[in-house]
């Protein structure tokens, strides 16, 4: 009976596909994972790689937009631009249901607590592709995949969905995306222009943006998604 249910799930998955996003700052690791997944998981389970990137900021931005948002993420914990735990946390703020699978080539014990606290569902050893394969298959088929000590993807309340920013930072960004300059925002909110600019710099860092214009774009997308989620 269970095998029949598995076949039904597998057939459904073949029709819909299960798309992965992978972020790792090592180009050879990305190439190897894409090749292994395409070769071993696509034909049977319809698991495919939607995109790969070497940059955590790029991964976060791709997860903002529904057209480039994958069904699950594989995230290297030890990247150079921003660490994997931060990427996990930012993506969890964007999507409350996407499976996030952290991975490392180093000691699992070193990263386990950070992965657990940043919203990941598992911490995988890059050298253990068989274990990674089992986790991805279970994830795609709707079977248990969350490792012991980790939690299911957590639904966040609205105020926490965009809660990566403080209330003041969100207030400033909401004014900024309306087209107001830092000076105009300062006057409206009773702050100094320097204080507004400092908050904007903090926003750029928190959102993993490249600059102010990029932060405005990301915040606008996040705000629109949050409004849609509560309608």
């Amino acid at each position: 009976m269970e095998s029949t249910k598995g076949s039904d799930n597998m057939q459904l998955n073949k029709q819909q596909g299960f798309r992965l996003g992978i972020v790792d700052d090592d180009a050879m690791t990305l190439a190897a994972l894409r090749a292994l997944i395409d070769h071993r998981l696509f034909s049977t389970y319809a698991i495919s790689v939607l995109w790969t990137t070497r940059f955590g900021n790029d991964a976060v931005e791709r997860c903002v937009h529904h057209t480039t948002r994958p069904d699950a993420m594989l995230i290297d914990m030890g990247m150079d631009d921003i660490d994997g735990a931060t990427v996990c946390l930012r993506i969890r703020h964007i999507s409350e249901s996407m499976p996030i699978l952290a991975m490392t080539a180093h000691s699992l014990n070193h990263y386990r607590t950070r992965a657990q606290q940043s919203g990941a569902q598992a911490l995988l050893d890059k050298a253990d592709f068989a274990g990674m394969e089992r986790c991805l298959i279970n994830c795609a088929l709707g079977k248990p995949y969350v490792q012991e000590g980790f939690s299911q993807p957590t639904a966040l309340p609205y105020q926490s969905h965009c809660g990566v920013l403080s209330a003041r930072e969100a207030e400033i960004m909401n004014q900024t995306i309306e087209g107001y300059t830092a000076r105009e925002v300062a006057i409206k909110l009773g702050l100094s222009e320097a204080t507004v600019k400092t908050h904007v710099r903090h926003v750029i860092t928190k959102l993993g943006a490249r600059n102010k214009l990029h932060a405005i774009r990301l915040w606008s997308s996040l705000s629109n998604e949050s409004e849609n989620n509560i309608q």
Side-chain angles (χ1 to χ4, degrees), residues 94 96 158 161 222-231:
I94 294 167
E96 58 194 27
Y158 169 66
H161 190 69
L222 285 169
S223 298
N224 288 337
E225 284 215 352
S226 293
E227 289 174 2
N228 292 334
N229 287 340
I230 63 172
Q231 287 177 355

Side-chain angles (χ1 to χ4, degrees), residues 177-194:
I177 62 177
E178 292 297 325
Y180 293 104
T181 65
R183 183 179 181 183
E184 291 170 332
V185 172
I187 293 172
K188 286 172 68 69
L189 300 182
L191 304 171
S192 70
E193 186 175 352

